[in-house]
Amino acid sequence: MADPKGFLKYAREGPKRRPVEIRVRDWKELYEPMPEDRLKAQGARCMDCGVPFCQSHNGCPVVNLIPEWNDLVQRGRWKDALKALHTTNNFPEFTGRLCPAPCESACVLGINSDPVSIRVVEWNIIDKGFDEGWVEPVLPVSRTGKTVAVIGSGPAGLAAAQQLARAGHSVTVLEKADRIGGLLRYGIPDFKMEKWVVDRRLDQMKAEGVEFKAGVHVGVDLTGEELRRRYDAVCLAMGAEQPRDLPVPGRELTGIHPAMAYLTQQNKRNAGDAITAEPITAKGKRVVIIGGGDTGSDCLGTSHRQGCSEVHQFELLPEPPPTRAGSTPWPLWPMQLRTSHAHEEGCDRQWSVSTTKFTGRNGQVTKLHGHRVAFENGTFTPVPGTAFELDVDLVLLAMGFTGPVKNGLLDGLGVKYDARGNVAVDDQYMSSVEGVFAGGDVRRGQSLIVWAIAEGRKMAAAV
């Protein structure tokens, strides 16, 4: 390492978020630029630990060469850092902005100090690479004459498509939505990642020969058998889009929506599209978000920017401890309380709350009814005397996903499912149907973007 005592000299530092009163008025990304000298100092904190748990399977599913590119940044060798970064990760601009950074939780320095700011170094390497014109198409040495269809254009599908195209195959990505990007396009709010970030990478992939076809719903517009006849191999990368519902009385009332329907609409508005479905907006409304994870946080930030009158977020699980729980020791991903950028913007955030029913007038939801619960021996039990009701105009269900949508392509292909309802594959990522592979959330269930990219790369290698 260039500075073996860097971790003793410099404190952990990350990018500053734009002031709340300014950022809630627009849909621009949250963070202010970080000067190069401070980025170099963060790279210098990487401590030559000998066994870098940050790039272990637990710390980084794509096995990023984190100590190497931290050191290169500290030395000012940005172009070499970019090469090291792209060696393992097709899309560091996505993971740098969106990944919760399990690598930082596994950082050896984090045992008794603040871990290295790995994520901010990562996304500044790739952004500098694009700014300097260093990110260029990577063309195959020769063409194989083989054709591959990739179903789904989220991070798993895009990673698989890029790897396969660079191997010389003719790759077509089929996406049911009207634009390419999957959840990157329509599930992630613009304030977390503006969509020009996706578009510039798609331009590179097009130059590499990847063909994109949006508005093609495979399983509806094109059957699985037709797909198999047209292509030598098929890669399933459709994600886990079946939302977890809340089957309580009053669920059918107007004003109760899955989170993805809500988030997608706002991204379409930001793109200048007309909304043809029932408009979903928090403007001037009393909002309740059910679910305390990242999707709930995305709904919270969106509600603020739309101009809600008040917003509450309910989570069924108990409140986590303020620091790493003893049940998740280093280098595991810690169970602990996390406050997101959206919570900084304001929220009545409550834990151990179970919603029992909704009531309304003229078919529109007006009240949420619930009570407190205790989590004991793996079950939730109502706490006597805690029943309550809350006036509400909009309810957003952000309780995660139960797996891939089976009705359509998957059932049509006849693929087998595992015990969790995901597509079952062998050790070469092939499903029970010859020539049909699966990777990403469709195979492992709802997970992190870095896992999707890792799965896409492994699926491509298997193909």
Short mmCIF file of all heavy atoms in Angstrom, two decimals, residues 243-306:
data_model
loop_
_atom_site.label_atom_id
_atom_site.label_comp_id
_atom_site.label_asym_id
_atom_site.label_seq_id
_atom_site.Cartn_x
_atom_site.Cartn_y
_atom_site.Cartn_z
N PRO A 243 -45.64 -9.18 -5.77
CA PRO A 243 -45.60 -8.46 -4.49
C PRO A 243 -46.30 -9.23 -3.38
O PRO A 243 -47.28 -9.95 -3.62
CB PRO A 243 -46.34 -7.15 -4.81
CG PRO A 243 -47.26 -7.50 -5.93
CD PRO A 243 -46.55 -8.55 -6.74
N ARG A 244 -45.80 -9.09 -2.17
CA ARG A 244 -46.48 -9.66 -1.00
C ARG A 244 -47.68 -8.78 -0.67
O ARG A 244 -47.55 -7.58 -0.47
CB ARG A 244 -45.52 -9.73 0.18
CG ARG A 244 -46.16 -10.32 1.44
CD ARG A 244 -45.16 -10.51 2.57
NE ARG A 244 -44.32 -11.70 2.32
CZ ARG A 244 -43.05 -11.66 1.97
NH1 ARG A 244 -42.45 -10.47 1.78
NH2 ARG A 244 -42.37 -12.76 1.77
N ASP A 245 -48.85 -9.37 -0.65
CA ASP A 245 -50.07 -8.60 -0.42
C ASP A 245 -50.43 -8.59 1.06
O ASP A 245 -49.79 -9.27 1.88
CB ASP A 245 -51.21 -9.18 -1.26
CG ASP A 245 -52.25 -8.13 -1.62
OD1 ASP A 245 -52.21 -7.02 -1.03
OD2 ASP A 245 -53.11 -8.40 -2.48
N LEU A 246 -51.46 -7.85 1.40
CA LEU A 246 -51.93 -7.75 2.78
C LEU A 246 -53.40 -8.15 2.79
O LEU A 246 -54.29 -7.31 2.62
CB LEU A 246 -51.75 -6.32 3.30
CG LEU A 246 -52.07 -6.07 4.77
CD1 LEU A 246 -51.16 -6.91 5.67
CD2 LEU A 246 -51.92 -4.59 5.11
N PRO A 247 -53.70 -9.44 2.97
CA PRO A 247 -55.08 -9.93 2.87
C PRO A 247 -55.88 -9.66 4.14
O PRO A 247 -56.13 -10.55 4.96
CB PRO A 247 -54.90 -11.43 2.62
CG PRO A 247 -53.61 -11.77 3.32
CD PRO A 247 -52.74 -10.54 3.20
N VAL A 248 -56.29 -8.41 4.31
CA VAL A 248 -57.10 -8.03 5.47
C VAL A 248 -58.40 -7.41 4.97
O VAL A 248 -58.47 -6.97 3.81
CB VAL A 248 -56.35 -7.04 6.39
CG1 VAL A 248 -55.08 -7.66 6.95
CG2 VAL A 248 -56.03 -5.74 5.65
N PRO A 249 -59.44 -7.36 5.80
CA PRO A 249 -60.69 -6.71 5.37
C PRO A 249 -60.44 -5.27 4.92
O PRO A 249 -59.67 -4.53 5.53
CB PRO A 249 -61.55 -6.75 6.64
CG PRO A 249 -61.03 -7.92 7.41
CD PRO A 249 -59.56 -7.95 7.15
N GLY A 250 -61.07 -4.89 3.80
CA GLY A 250 -60.94 -3.55 3.27
C GLY A 250 -59.81 -3.37 2.28
O GLY A 250 -59.62 -2.28 1.74
N ARG A 251 -59.07 -4.45 2.01
CA ARG A 251 -57.95 -4.34 1.06
C ARG A 251 -58.41 -3.88 -0.31
O ARG A 251 -57.65 -3.26 -1.06
CB ARG A 251 -57.24 -5.71 0.97
CG ARG A 251 -56.24 -5.87 -0.17
CD ARG A 251 -55.07 -4.91 -0.03
NE ARG A 251 -54.13 -5.04 -1.13
CZ ARG A 251 -54.23 -4.39 -2.29
NH1 ARG A 251 -55.23 -3.55 -2.50
NH2 ARG A 251 -53.33 -4.56 -3.23
N GLU A 252 -59.68 -4.15 -0.67
CA GLU A 252 -60.17 -3.83 -2.01
C GLU A 252 -60.50 -2.34 -2.19
O GLU A 252 -60.77 -1.88 -3.31
CB GLU A 252 -61.43 -4.65 -2.30
CG GLU A 252 -62.69 -4.20 -1.57
CD GLU A 252 -62.73 -4.57 -0.08
OE1 GLU A 252 -61.83 -5.31 0.36
OE2 GLU A 252 -63.64 -4.11 0.64
N LEU A 253 -60.42 -1.56 -1.12
CA LEU A 253 -60.77 -0.14 -1.21
C LEU A 253 -59.80 0.61 -2.13
O LEU A 253 -58.62 0.28 -2.22
CB LEU A 253 -60.75 0.49 0.18
CG LEU A 253 -61.86 0.04 1.15
CD1 LEU A 253 -61.56 0.52 2.56
CD2 LEU A 253 -63.22 0.57 0.68
N THR A 254 -60.31 1.63 -2.78
CA THR A 254 -59.47 2.50 -3.61
C THR A 254 -58.51 3.28 -2.71
O THR A 254 -58.86 3.68 -1.60
CB THR A 254 -60.35 3.49 -4.40
OG1 THR A 254 -61.25 2.75 -5.22
CG2 THR A 254 -59.50 4.40 -5.28
N GLY A 255 -57.30 3.47 -3.19
CA GLY A 255 -56.29 4.21 -2.43
C GLY A 255 -55.28 3.32 -1.75
O GLY A 255 -54.41 3.82 -1.02
N ILE A 256 -55.37 1.99 -1.99
CA ILE A 256 -54.39 1.05 -1.44
C ILE A 256 -53.66 0.41 -2.61
O ILE A 256 -54.28 -0.22 -3.48
CB ILE A 256 -55.07 -0.04 -0.59
CG1 ILE A 256 -55.92 0.61 0.51
CG2 ILE A 256 -54.03 -0.98 0.01
CD1 ILE A 256 -56.78 -0.37 1.28
N HIS A 257 -52.33 0.58 -2.68
CA HIS A 257 -51.59 0.20 -3.89
C HIS A 257 -50.27 -0.51 -3.54
O HIS A 257 -49.63 -0.17 -2.54
CB HIS A 257 -51.25 1.43 -4.73
CG HIS A 257 -52.44 2.25 -5.12
ND1 HIS A 257 -53.19 1.96 -6.23
CD2 HIS A 257 -52.99 3.35 -4.56
CE1 HIS A 257 -54.17 2.85 -6.34
NE2 HIS A 257 -54.07 3.70 -5.33
N PRO A 258 -49.84 -1.45 -4.38
CA PRO A 258 -48.48 -1.99 -4.24
C PRO A 258 -47.46 -0.89 -4.49
O PRO A 258 -47.67 0.01 -5.32
CB PRO A 258 -48.41 -3.06 -5.33
CG PRO A 258 -49.82 -3.33 -5.73
CD PRO A 258 -50.58 -2.07 -5.49
N ALA A 259 -46.34 -0.97 -3.79
CA ALA A 259 -45.32 0.07 -3.88
C ALA A 259 -44.81 0.25 -5.31
O ALA A 259 -44.59 1.39 -5.76
CB ALA A 259 -44.15 -0.28 -2.96
N MET A 260 -44.62 -0.85 -6.04
CA MET A 260 -44.03 -0.75 -7.38
C MET A 260 -44.94 0.00 -8.35
O MET A 260 -44.46 0.73 -9.22
CB MET A 260 -43.68 -2.13 -7.94
CG MET A 260 -42.40 -2.68 -7.40
SD MET A 260 -40.98 -1.62 -7.76
CE MET A 260 -40.22 -1.55 -6.16
N ALA A 261 -46.26 -0.15 -8.21
CA ALA A 261 -47.17 0.60 -9.06
C ALA A 261 -47.01 2.09 -8.82
O ALA A 261 -47.03 2.91 -9.76
CB ALA A 261 -48.61 0.16 -8.80
N TYR A 262 -46.83 2.44 -7.57
CA TYR A 262 -46.66 3.85 -7.18
C TYR A 262 -45.33 4.41 -7.69
O TYR A 262 -45.28 5.48 -8.32
CB TYR A 262 -46.75 3.93 -5.66
CG TYR A 262 -46.43 5.28 -5.06
CD1 TYR A 262 -47.24 6.39 -5.29
CD2 TYR A 262 -45.32 5.44 -4.21
CE1 TYR A 262 -46.95 7.62 -4.72
CE2 TYR A 262 -45.04 6.66 -3.63
CZ TYR A 262 -45.85 7.75 -3.89
OH TYR A 262 -45.57 8.97 -3.32
N LEU A 263 -44.25 3.70 -7.44
CA LEU A 263 -42.93 4.18 -7.84
C LEU A 263 -42.78 4.26 -9.36
O LEU A 263 -42.19 5.19 -9.90
CB LEU A 263 -41.84 3.27 -7.25
CG LEU A 263 -41.74 3.24 -5.72
CD1 LEU A 263 -40.76 2.17 -5.28
CD2 LEU A 263 -41.35 4.60 -5.17
N THR A 264 -43.33 3.27 -10.05
CA THR A 264 -43.24 3.26 -11.51
C THR A 264 -43.92 4.47 -12.12
O THR A 264 -43.39 5.10 -13.04
CB THR A 264 -43.87 1.97 -12.06
OG1 THR A 264 -43.11 0.84 -11.61
CG2 THR A 264 -43.90 1.97 -13.58
N GLN A 265 -45.08 4.82 -11.59
CA GLN A 265 -45.80 5.98 -12.13
C GLN A 265 -44.98 7.26 -12.03
O GLN A 265 -44.92 8.05 -12.98
CB GLN A 265 -47.14 6.16 -11.42
CG GLN A 265 -48.26 5.36 -12.00
CD GLN A 265 -49.62 5.91 -11.63
OE1 GLN A 265 -49.76 7.04 -11.10
NE2 GLN A 265 -50.66 5.13 -11.89
N GLN A 266 -44.33 7.47 -10.89
CA GLN A 266 -43.57 8.71 -10.73
C GLN A 266 -42.37 8.73 -11.67
O GLN A 266 -42.03 9.78 -12.24
CB GLN A 266 -43.11 8.89 -9.29
CG GLN A 266 -42.42 10.22 -9.04
CD GLN A 266 -43.27 11.41 -9.47
OE1 GLN A 266 -44.43 11.52 -9.07
NE2 GLN A 266 -42.72 12.29 -10.29
N ASN A 267 -41.70 7.59 -11.85
CA ASN A 267 -40.58 7.55 -12.80
C ASN A 267 -41.05 7.84 -14.21
O ASN A 267 -40.34 8.47 -15.00
CB ASN A 267 -39.87 6.20 -12.71
CG ASN A 267 -38.94 6.10 -11.51
OD1 ASN A 267 -38.97 6.95 -10.63
ND2 ASN A 267 -38.12 5.07 -11.48
N LYS A 268 -42.24 7.37 -14.55
CA LYS A 268 -42.79 7.66 -15.87
C LYS A 268 -43.09 9.16 -16.01
O LYS A 268 -42.85 9.76 -17.06
CB LYS A 268 -44.06 6.84 -16.11
CG LYS A 268 -43.79 5.37 -16.44
CD LYS A 268 -45.09 4.62 -16.67
CE LYS A 268 -44.83 3.21 -17.17
NZ LYS A 268 -44.32 3.19 -18.55
N ARG A 269 -43.63 9.75 -14.95
CA ARG A 269 -43.86 11.20 -15.00
C ARG A 269 -42.55 11.95 -15.22
O ARG A 269 -42.47 12.89 -16.02
CB ARG A 269 -44.51 11.68 -13.70
CG ARG A 269 -45.95 11.26 -13.50
CD ARG A 269 -46.56 11.98 -12.29
NE ARG A 269 -47.85 11.42 -11.94
CZ ARG A 269 -48.05 10.49 -11.01
NH1 ARG A 269 -47.01 10.03 -10.31
NH2 ARG A 269 -49.25 10.03 -10.76
N ASN A 270 -41.53 11.56 -14.48
CA ASN A 270 -40.23 12.23 -14.63
C ASN A 270 -39.67 12.08 -16.03
O ASN A 270 -38.92 12.94 -16.50
CB ASN A 270 -39.24 11.65 -13.61
CG ASN A 270 -39.59 12.01 -12.18
OD1 ASN A 270 -40.44 12.86 -11.94
ND2 ASN A 270 -38.96 11.35 -11.23
N ALA A 271 -40.03 10.97 -16.70
CA ALA A 271 -39.56 10.74 -18.07
C ALA A 271 -40.41 11.46 -19.10
O ALA A 271 -40.12 11.41 -20.30
CB ALA A 271 -39.56 9.24 -18.37
N GLY A 272 -41.48 12.14 -18.62
CA GLY A 272 -42.33 12.89 -19.54
C GLY A 272 -43.49 12.11 -20.11
O GLY A 272 -44.14 12.56 -21.05
N ASP A 273 -43.76 10.92 -19.55
CA ASP A 273 -44.84 10.08 -20.07
C ASP A 273 -46.18 10.50 -19.49
O ASP A 273 -46.27 10.94 -18.35
CB ASP A 273 -44.60 8.61 -19.73
CG ASP A 273 -43.38 8.04 -20.44
OD1 ASP A 273 -42.83 8.73 -21.32
OD2 ASP A 273 -42.97 6.91 -20.09
N ALA A 274 -47.22 10.30 -20.29
CA ALA A 274 -48.58 10.49 -19.80
C ALA A 274 -48.99 9.24 -19.02
O ALA A 274 -48.68 8.12 -19.43
CB ALA A 274 -49.54 10.73 -20.95
N ILE A 275 -49.69 9.42 -17.90
CA ILE A 275 -50.13 8.31 -17.08
C ILE A 275 -51.53 7.91 -17.54
O ILE A 275 -52.49 8.69 -17.41
CB ILE A 275 -50.13 8.66 -15.58
CG1 ILE A 275 -48.73 9.13 -15.16
CG2 ILE A 275 -50.58 7.48 -14.75
CD1 ILE A 275 -47.64 8.13 -15.38
N THR A 276 -51.64 6.71 -18.09
CA THR A 276 -52.93 6.25 -18.61
C THR A 276 -53.72 5.47 -17.56
O THR A 276 -54.95 5.40 -17.63
CB THR A 276 -52.72 5.35 -19.85
OG1 THR A 276 -51.84 4.28 -19.51
CG2 THR A 276 -52.09 6.16 -20.99
N ALA A 277 -53.03 4.87 -16.58
CA ALA A 277 -53.72 4.14 -15.52
C ALA A 277 -54.24 5.13 -14.47
O ALA A 277 -54.03 6.34 -14.58
CB ALA A 277 -52.76 3.14 -14.87
N GLU A 278 -54.93 4.60 -13.46
CA GLU A 278 -55.39 5.44 -12.35
C GLU A 278 -54.20 6.14 -11.71
O GLU A 278 -53.27 5.50 -11.25
CB GLU A 278 -56.10 4.57 -11.31
CG GLU A 278 -56.48 5.35 -10.05
CD GLU A 278 -56.80 4.44 -8.87
OE1 GLU A 278 -56.85 3.21 -9.06
OE2 GLU A 278 -56.97 4.96 -7.75
N PRO A 279 -54.20 7.49 -11.69
CA PRO A 279 -53.06 8.20 -11.09
C PRO A 279 -52.93 7.90 -9.60
O PRO A 279 -53.93 7.87 -8.87
CB PRO A 279 -53.41 9.68 -11.33
CG PRO A 279 -54.43 9.68 -12.41
CD PRO A 279 -55.20 8.41 -12.24
N ILE A 280 -51.70 7.64 -9.18
CA ILE A 280 -51.41 7.42 -7.77
C ILE A 280 -50.46 8.52 -7.32
O ILE A 280 -49.33 8.59 -7.79
CB ILE A 280 -50.75 6.05 -7.53
CG1 ILE A 280 -51.54 4.93 -8.22
CG2 ILE A 280 -50.63 5.77 -6.04
CD1 ILE A 280 -50.83 3.59 -8.19
N THR A 281 -50.90 9.38 -6.43
CA THR A 281 -50.06 10.48 -5.96
C THR A 281 -50.32 10.74 -4.48
O THR A 281 -51.44 10.53 -3.98
CB THR A 281 -50.30 11.75 -6.77
OG1 THR A 281 -49.49 12.82 -6.25
CG2 THR A 281 -51.75 12.17 -6.75
N ALA A 282 -49.28 11.21 -3.80
CA ALA A 282 -49.39 11.54 -2.39
C ALA A 282 -49.68 13.01 -2.15
O ALA A 282 -49.78 13.44 -1.00
CB ALA A 282 -48.08 11.16 -1.67
N LYS A 283 -49.80 13.78 -3.18
CA LYS A 283 -49.96 15.24 -3.05
C LYS A 283 -51.15 15.58 -2.15
O LYS A 283 -52.29 15.21 -2.42
CB LYS A 283 -50.15 15.88 -4.42
CG LYS A 283 -50.22 17.41 -4.37
CD LYS A 283 -50.30 18.01 -5.76
CE LYS A 283 -50.45 19.52 -5.71
NZ LYS A 283 -49.31 20.17 -5.04
N GLY A 284 -50.86 16.29 -1.05
CA GLY A 284 -51.88 16.73 -0.13
C GLY A 284 -52.54 15.63 0.67
O GLY A 284 -53.56 15.88 1.33
N LYS A 285 -51.98 14.42 0.68
CA LYS A 285 -52.65 13.29 1.31
C LYS A 285 -51.94 12.83 2.58
O LYS A 285 -50.75 13.06 2.76
CB LYS A 285 -52.73 12.12 0.31
CG LYS A 285 -53.64 12.40 -0.88
CD LYS A 285 -53.69 11.20 -1.82
CE LYS A 285 -54.62 11.49 -2.99
NZ LYS A 285 -54.64 10.36 -3.96
N ARG A 286 -52.71 12.13 3.40
CA ARG A 286 -52.18 11.44 4.57
C ARG A 286 -51.78 10.04 4.12
O ARG A 286 -52.62 9.26 3.69
CB ARG A 286 -53.22 11.38 5.67
CG ARG A 286 -53.67 12.76 6.16
CD ARG A 286 -54.96 12.69 6.96
NE ARG A 286 -56.08 12.25 6.12
CZ ARG A 286 -57.36 12.24 6.52
NH1 ARG A 286 -57.66 12.65 7.74
NH2 ARG A 286 -58.31 11.81 5.71
N VAL A 287 -50.51 9.73 4.22
CA VAL A 287 -49.96 8.52 3.64
C VAL A 287 -49.49 7.57 4.73
O VAL A 287 -48.89 7.99 5.72
CB VAL A 287 -48.76 8.86 2.70
CG1 VAL A 287 -48.18 7.59 2.08
CG2 VAL A 287 -49.19 9.85 1.62
N VAL A 288 -49.75 6.27 4.53
CA VAL A 288 -49.18 5.23 5.37
C VAL A 288 -48.42 4.26 4.46
O VAL A 288 -48.96 3.77 3.47
CB VAL A 288 -50.24 4.47 6.17
CG1 VAL A 288 -49.60 3.26 6.86
CG2 VAL A 288 -50.88 5.37 7.21
N ILE A 289 -47.16 4.02 4.80
CA ILE A 289 -46.33 3.05 4.09
C ILE A 289 -46.19 1.83 5.00
O ILE A 289 -45.73 1.95 6.14
CB ILE A 289 -44.95 3.63 3.76
CG1 ILE A 289 -45.09 4.87 2.89
CG2 ILE A 289 -44.06 2.59 3.09
CD1 ILE A 289 -43.85 5.75 2.86
N ILE A 290 -46.59 0.67 4.51
CA ILE A 290 -46.49 -0.56 5.30
C ILE A 290 -45.29 -1.35 4.79
O ILE A 290 -45.29 -1.85 3.66
CB ILE A 290 -47.79 -1.38 5.21
CG1 ILE A 290 -48.96 -0.55 5.73
CG2 ILE A 290 -47.65 -2.68 6.00
CD1 ILE A 290 -50.30 -1.25 5.67
N GLY A 291 -44.26 -1.43 5.62
CA GLY A 291 -43.01 -2.07 5.24
C GLY A 291 -41.85 -1.13 5.52
O GLY A 291 -41.87 0.03 5.12
N GLY A 292 -40.81 -1.65 6.20
CA GLY A 292 -39.73 -0.78 6.66
C GLY A 292 -38.43 -0.93 5.91
O GLY A 292 -37.40 -0.42 6.37
N GLY A 293 -38.42 -1.59 4.76
CA GLY A 293 -37.18 -1.81 4.02
C GLY A 293 -36.87 -0.71 3.02
O GLY A 293 -37.42 0.40 3.09
N ASP A 294 -35.99 -1.04 2.06
CA ASP A 294 -35.57 -0.06 1.07
C ASP A 294 -36.72 0.43 0.21
O ASP A 294 -36.79 1.62 -0.13
CB ASP A 294 -34.49 -0.67 0.16
CG ASP A 294 -33.15 -0.81 0.86
OD1 ASP A 294 -32.96 -0.16 1.91
OD2 ASP A 294 -32.30 -1.57 0.37
N THR A 295 -37.63 -0.47 -0.16
CA THR A 295 -38.77 -0.06 -0.99
C THR A 295 -39.65 0.92 -0.23
O THR A 295 -40.15 1.90 -0.80
CB THR A 295 -39.58 -1.28 -1.45
OG1 THR A 295 -38.72 -2.19 -2.13
CG2 THR A 295 -40.70 -0.86 -2.38
N GLY A 296 -39.84 0.66 1.06
CA GLY A 296 -40.60 1.60 1.87
C GLY A 296 -39.93 2.96 1.94
O GLY A 296 -40.60 4.00 1.87
N SER A 297 -38.60 2.96 2.05
CA SER A 297 -37.85 4.22 2.05
C SER A 297 -38.01 4.95 0.73
O SER A 297 -38.14 6.18 0.70
CB SER A 297 -36.38 3.94 2.33
OG SER A 297 -35.60 5.10 2.19
N ASP A 298 -38.02 4.20 -0.37
CA ASP A 298 -38.21 4.83 -1.69
C ASP A 298 -39.60 5.47 -1.78
O ASP A 298 -39.74 6.58 -2.34
CB ASP A 298 -38.06 3.78 -2.79
CG ASP A 298 -36.64 3.26 -2.92
OD1 ASP A 298 -35.72 3.90 -2.36
OD2 ASP A 298 -36.44 2.22 -3.56
N CYS A 299 -40.61 4.79 -1.24
CA CYS A 299 -41.95 5.37 -1.23
C CYS A 299 -42.00 6.62 -0.36
O CYS A 299 -42.69 7.60 -0.69
CB CYS A 299 -42.95 4.34 -0.70
SG CYS A 299 -43.26 2.94 -1.79
N LEU A 300 -41.26 6.60 0.74
CA LEU A 300 -41.23 7.74 1.65
C LEU A 300 -40.63 8.97 0.97
O LEU A 300 -41.22 10.06 0.99
CB LEU A 300 -40.43 7.37 2.90
CG LEU A 300 -40.22 8.46 3.95
CD1 LEU A 300 -41.55 9.01 4.44
CD2 LEU A 300 -39.40 7.91 5.12
N GLY A 301 -39.46 8.80 0.34
CA GLY A 301 -38.85 9.92 -0.36
C GLY A 301 -39.71 10.45 -1.49
O GLY A 301 -39.78 11.66 -1.73
N THR A 302 -40.41 9.54 -2.17
CA THR A 302 -41.30 9.96 -3.26
C THR A 302 -42.49 10.72 -2.72
O THR A 302 -42.91 11.74 -3.30
CB THR A 302 -41.77 8.71 -4.04
OG1 THR A 302 -40.61 8.03 -4.56
CG2 THR A 302 -42.67 9.10 -5.20
N SER A 303 -43.04 10.28 -1.59
CA SER A 303 -44.19 10.97 -0.98
C SER A 303 -43.82 12.40 -0.59
O SER A 303 -44.62 13.33 -0.79
CB SER A 303 -44.67 10.20 0.25
OG SER A 303 -45.16 8.93 -0.10
N HIS A 304 -42.63 12.59 -0.04
CA HIS A 304 -42.19 13.94 0.32
C HIS A 304 -42.13 14.83 -0.92
O HIS A 304 -42.58 15.99 -0.89
CB HIS A 304 -40.81 13.89 0.98
CG HIS A 304 -40.83 13.41 2.39
ND1 HIS A 304 -41.64 13.96 3.36
CD2 HIS A 304 -40.14 12.42 3.01
CE1 HIS A 304 -41.43 13.34 4.52
NE2 HIS A 304 -40.53 12.39 4.33
N ARG A 305 -41.56 14.32 -2.00
CA ARG A 305 -41.39 15.13 -3.20
C ARG A 305 -42.71 15.41 -3.91
O ARG A 305 -42.83 16.40 -4.62
CB ARG A 305 -40.38 14.45 -4.14
CG ARG A 305 -38.95 14.61 -3.64
CD ARG A 305 -38.02 13.53 -4.15
NE ARG A 305 -36.66 13.73 -3.62
CZ ARG A 305 -36.29 13.41 -2.38
NH1 ARG A 305 -37.16 12.87 -1.54
NH2 ARG A 305 -35.06 13.63 -1.98
N GLN A 306 -43.69 14.56 -3.69
CA GLN A 306 -45.00 14.80 -4.27
C GLN A 306 -45.83 15.77 -3.43
O GLN A 306 -46.85 16.28 -3.92
CB GLN A 306 -45.76 13.48 -4.43
CG GLN A 306 -45.20 12.59 -5.54
CD GLN A 306 -45.97 11.30 -5.69
OE1 GLN A 306 -46.73 10.91 -4.80
NE2 GLN A 306 -45.78 10.63 -6.81
#
